[in-house]
Amino acid sequence: MQDKDRSSMGQPPRPDNEFLVAFEKNSKKAVDSWVQTGKLPSDAKAIAAFLRQPELDLAGVGNYIGEGDDLCIAVLSEFVRFFDFFELGFDDAMRKFLAGFRLPGEAQKIDRIMHAFASQFHTYNPDMFRDPETAYPLAYSVIMLNTDAHNPAIKPHKKMTKEQFIKNNRGLDNGHDLDREFLERIYDRIVANEIVVQTTSKDDGSSDKSILTYSNPEKAGWLKKQSSRMRSWNDRWFVLKDGCIYYFRKPPVWGQSVQLCGYIPLHPQLLVQEGEPGVSSDTTITMEMADGTPAKCGKIDKRIGSMKTIAVQQLRLLSPSRSDRGEWVSCIRTAISDLSNNSNRRFPSSSSRSFPSHRPDPSTTPSGGAPAPQPSAKPPPP
């Protein structure tokens, strides 16, 4: 199909090899040349759609949308409209956005791009912050953290600590502090999973399907889990959402494989206790069924790569502090109470979940085959 025919049908023209070479050298000059020769419409929306094609150099895309002339600013405004951030956590939204191009090094270009991101994020998440502008400085702060945490030139003892990250973001939301747990969660996820540019700008929606199961949980963070056989303690990232506790080798993030280890379905008869009796300094969380029967949980079988059902008499977790233990116990008990109060809800159990017999694809099967919760009604596209 000829380029003019593609344009008349609303499809962006396909870049040829000559253009790809020129675009990599100077993206603005290459685009302007095609606009002047009529190969590419001068319409900002058409240029934005053109920049989404996977053949284009991602650094060139970032440099173009970061330019300061009127057309490039209009293209940036249209470019961000291609990104749906509905129900995505803040750093997952950033990961999705930054997968479409390579962020340029110039401060002014970064400033324009992050302002555009913040505006689009607010469109889909209007109630997350008091001030619509809060997403902009927070995005900048996350980029700084990502660079600091994953730059090998920065020695470990000089890297930004969690307390420093929280301090840097004090009063960020129109003079108010952001929720501490919200910031701690962002810090842990960024340190564990670097924000990286993807090898392609194509977005088929599979990462959204994968991550929405675990986005915006009631509670999330690092805990130690005692293994059922070896009795050893392993660090795992726990997520409490929709009447279920999921645990992973590292935090699940947009654009990366989800390393789910297993899940614990909550039940009205599940008892959650703080610590061991008579041990004041203990930070253990124990869970067991009130009637003494084993709790049925799901666990990835490493040999075949699929989920299996296991029966556990007592589940034991270890929190990093007594205060964190108290928050986890409170959140889990609240989730169990919600299950009990919802008479129309079918209590989750491992036997009611269907898992594939083959090794699951994390990008399309977010929880090893467990059905993802249905999101609420989606707002109309801006």
Side-chain angles (χ1 to χ4, degrees), residues 260 299-301 304-309 353-362 364-371:
L260 178 69
K299 184 179 180 180
I300 290 289
D301 189 328
I304 59 176
S306 63
M307 191 71 70
K308 67 177 182 180
T309 300
R353 294 172 181 257
S354 175
F355 295 99
S357 57
H358 60 281
R359 182 177 298 276
D361 179 357
T364 57
T365 312
S367 56

Side-chain angles (χ1 to χ4, degrees), residues 340-357:
S340 301
N341 294 333
N342 189 349
S343 59
N344 295 323
R345 175 163 181 157
R346 185 179 179 182
F347 302 131
S349 66
S350 53
S351 60
S352 67
R353 294 172 181 257
S354 175
F355 295 99
S357 57

Side-chain angles (χ1 to χ4, degrees), residues 221-232:
W222 289 107
L223 295 171
K224 289 183 181 293
K225 179 183 179 296
Q226 189 175 45
S227 64
S228 55
R229 292 184 178 180
M230 303 301 293
R231 295 298 177 186
S232 59

Side-chain angles (χ1 to χ4, degrees), residues 12 26 58 89 133 140 218 228-229 242 285 295 338 345 362 372 375-376:
N26 189 321
L58 297 183
E133 292 295 317
Y140 234 116
E218 291 106 81
S228 55
R229 292 184 178 180
D242 294 331
I285 302 170
D338 290 341
R345 175 163 181 157
S376 54

Side-chain angles (χ1 to χ4, degrees), residues 141 144-145 148 158-162 164-165 168 187:
S141 180
M144 292 175 61
L145 172 63
D148 179 275
K158 291 187 176 181
K159 290 186 179 294
M160 189 186 305
T161 66
K162 187 180 294 186
Q164 289 172 334
F165 177 68
N168 291 344
Y187 180 91

Side-chain angles (χ1 to χ4, degrees), residues 240 272-274 328-338:
L240 169 62
V272 185
Q273 303 293 334
E274 294 188 50
W328 270 105
V329 170
S330 176
C331 289
I332 296 172
R333 286 174 176 171
T334 298
I336 292 174
S337 177
D338 290 341

Side-chain angles (χ1 to χ4, degrees), residues 41-103:
S42 59
D43 175 67
K45 187 173 183 179
I47 296 176
F50 175 75
L51 294 176
R52 293 275 291 164
Q53 297 188 89
E55 299 96 328
L56 297 178
D57 177 67
L58 297 183
V61 175
N63 280 315
Y64 185 88
I65 62 175
E67 290 286 351
D69 65 63
D70 291 342
L71 178 59
C72 289
I73 291 175
V75 170
L76 174 59
S77 179
E78 294 294 338
F79 184 82
V80 298
R81 290 175 179 267
F82 285 101
F83 294 88
D84 179 351
F85 300 137
F86 182 62
E87 288 198 339
L88 282 179
F90 188 79
D91 67 292
D92 280 321
M94 288 190 64
R95 292 175 195 275
K96 181 177 183 178
F97 182 57
L98 296 175
F101 61 95
R102 188 180 297 278
L103 198 65

